[in-house]
């Protein structure tokens, strides 16, 4: 008697890698919805029910990915920190003078501040995190600050940046960049790239050595200003700033 043909049944389960990828995508969707709500309404005003409603899922479904709202907050912050880390890694790999690296970092960081996860780095209160996670966040902030100082110090050493106090210069630059996360609006007149272009010039031109400024301003990977300020001639304008 001949044996019955073997029928290969398709598994109802996705392959491991596909399952992990699907889970990662859903997890990131939760973070994207949550970070938008946290920035719009403030962390304490947002409930997990609202996060679930925005995703059209149930609140219990959120617990498949996160243990609570504070963990979601930290993961949103971590997403922003990871983006900064990747920028720094790329800048370091590209090499160049201290000024070149500083300008690349300023440009990328400015554009990042105009994103939800970037803004979370400066809009979220670390006091809302657990002590352990707050310590992780503070350590990351110190690493970012140290990188700004390092590039400035390298520029002083290689002659591309004027002698200055790297600590104070880094504070001034980071302060200007971080504020973008507070005032940027996606429906505003300027795009993230336009903001990054302008801030790169404004925050670094005073540091550049004058006799090298024309060449170092043309930093690889950093778009140049297309609309230089022109002198106004003729009748003097009056009125307000609007």
């Amino acid at each position: 008697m001949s044996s019955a043909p073997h029928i290969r049944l398709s598994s109802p389960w996705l392959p491991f890698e596909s399952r992990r990828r699907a889970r990662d995508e859903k997890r990131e969707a939760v973070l994207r919805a949550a970070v938008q709500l946290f920035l719009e309404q403030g962390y304490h005003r947002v409930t997990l029910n609202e996060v679930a409603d925005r995703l059209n899922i149930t609140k219990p479904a959120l617990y498949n990915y996160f243990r609570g709202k504070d963990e979601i907050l930290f993961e949103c912050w971590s997403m922003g920190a990871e983006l900064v880390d990747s920028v720094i890694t790329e800048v370091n790999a590209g090499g160049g003078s201290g000024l070149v690296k500083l300008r690349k970092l300023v440009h990328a960081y400015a554009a990042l501040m105009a994103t939800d996860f970037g803004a979370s780095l400066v809009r979220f209160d670390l006091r809302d995190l657990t002590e352990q996670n707050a310590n992780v966040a503070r350590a990351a902030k110190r690493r970012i600050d140290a990188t700004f100082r390092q590039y400035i110090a390298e520029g002083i050493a290689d002659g591309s940046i004027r002698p200055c106090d790297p600590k104070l210069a880094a504070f001034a630059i980071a302060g200007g960049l971080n504020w973008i996360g507070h005032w940027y609006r996606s429906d505003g007149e300027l795009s993230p790239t336009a903001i990054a272009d302008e801030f790169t010039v404004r925050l670094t031109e005073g540091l550049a050595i004058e006799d090298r400024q024309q060449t170092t301003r043309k930093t690889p990977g950093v778009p140049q200003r297309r609309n230089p300020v022109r002198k106004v001639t003729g009748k003097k304008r009056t009125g307000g700033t609007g």
Side-chain angles (χ1 to χ4, degrees):
M1 184 175 67
S2 61
S3 59
H6 176 70
I7 300 176
R8 183 181 179 84
L9 299 176
S10 60
S11 171
W13 302 102
L14 292 171
F16 174 75
E17 286 299 326
S18 297
R19 292 202 310 271
R20 186 173 65 178
R21 183 164 55 252
R23 180 179 176 82
D24 289 345
E25 289 173 355
K26 291 178 180 178
R27 192 172 186 274
E28 185 171 333
V30 173
L31 294 177
R32 291 190 180 280
V35 74
Q36 289 174 0
L37 286 167
F38 292 162
L39 294 174
E40 290 169 5
Q41 302 178 28
Y43 170 70
H44 292 287
R45 295 179 181 175
V46 175
T47 66
L48 288 182
N49 280 327
E50 290 176 289
V51 176
D53 288 344
R54 179 159 291 196
L55 292 165
N56 197 29
I57 61 176
T58 63
K59 178 181 176 181
L62 291 177
Y63 290 103
N64 290 324
Y65 310 100
F66 300 99
R67 288 170 292 187
K69 195 171 75 165
D70 61 333
E71 184 179 0
I72 293 176
L73 180 73
F74 176 67
E75 289 300 322
C76 288
W77 189 94
S78 295
M79 289 283 283
E82 288 172 7
L83 291 172
V84 176
D85 285 343
S86 66
V87 165
I88 293 173
T89 298
E90 184 177 346
V91 172
N92 287 335
S97 68
L99 180 62
V100 165
K101 290 195 285 188
L102 178 64
R103 282 182 166 152
K104 286 182 179 179
L105 178 56
V106 168
H107 191 273
Y109 195 97
L112 181 60
M113 282 295 107
T115 68
D116 288 340
F117 288 123
S120 72
L121 293 174
V122 295
R123 297 268 300 275
F124 292 169
D125 192 336
L126 298 188
R127 291 173 295 183
D128 291 323
L129 301 176
T130 64
E131 182 178 359
Q132 179 180 356
N133 287 342
N135 288 335
V136 171
R138 281 190 283 268
K141 285 177 176 287
R142 288 194 294 269
R143 287 197 304 272
I144 295 171
D145 173 62
T147 302
F148 276 106
R149 297 191 200 188
Q150 175 188 333
Y151 292 164
I152 294 169
E154 288 179 8
I156 295 171
D158 65 33
S160 61
I161 291 178
R162 298 172 181 276
C164 63
D165 184 327
K167 176 181 177 179
L168 293 181
F171 282 171
I173 291 173
L177 292 173
N178 287 338
W179 197 243
I180 297 173
H182 291 276
W183 59 256
Y184 173 76
R185 296 293 179 270
S186 59
D187 57 354
E189 295 181 0
L190 296 176
S191 69
T193 299
I195 293 170
D197 290 350
E198 188 68 20
F199 268 62
T200 301
V201 174
R202 296 301 172 211
L203 294 178
T204 66
E205 65 181 349
L207 292 174
I209 298 295
E210 287 184 357
D211 61 354
R212 298 183 59 183
Q213 194 166 354
Q214 295 303 317
T215 56
T216 55
R217 179 174 289 188
K218 298 178 181 179
T219 303
V222 177
Q224 305 304 305
R225 289 185 62 194
R226 297 179 180 179
N227 298 310
V229 177
R230 294 191 293 268
K231 293 183 179 179
V232 179
T233 58
K235 187 175 180 180
K236 183 178 180 181
R237 293 182 61 186
T238 58
T241 58

